[in-house]
Amino acid sequence: MIPRPTRSSAHTTSEAGAWADVLVRRRLLHAALLAPSGQWLVQPEADGPVHVLAGPADIVELTATIQHCIRSTRARTR
């Protein structure tokens, strides 16, 4: 696996919001909402528990984890 390049800046709320929107539109998450505190409320399934993520970096990390799972599943089915 090729290591990801390091970022020179922190993840922003708008970047996290864009990724959260993509995850919900693609039905990879049921819901993702930004709380007034800056935390993110994430619900993977409609009847599932709500998880609290600390900030934008956690949303981006969740997105990377989901992408990795999707890619590794596709590679195994080929």
Side-chain angles (χ1 to χ4, degrees):
M1 178 188 277
I2 299 171
R4 285 188 251 165
T6 56
R7 287 179 59 103
S8 60
S9 62
H11 297 287
T12 64
T13 300
S14 60
E15 178 185 11
W19 280 116
D21 184 51
V22 168
L23 294 174
V24 171
R25 276 189 292 122
R26 298 283 181 165
R27 296 186 174 140
L28 298 168
L29 287 178
H30 175 69
L33 301 169
L34 176 61
S37 64
Q39 296 174 316
W40 286 85
L41 306 176
V42 177
Q43 188 176 26
E45 300 171 352
D47 295 332
V50 174
H51 302 280
V52 180
L53 303 180
D58 292 331
I59 288 286
V60 175
E61 183 63 31
L62 175 63
T63 303
T65 300
I66 291 171
Q67 287 176 334
H68 177 74
C69 290
I70 290 169
R71 289 179 181 146
S72 63
T73 301
R74 285 183 184 164
R76 278 188 251 143
T77 60
R78 288 184 186 176

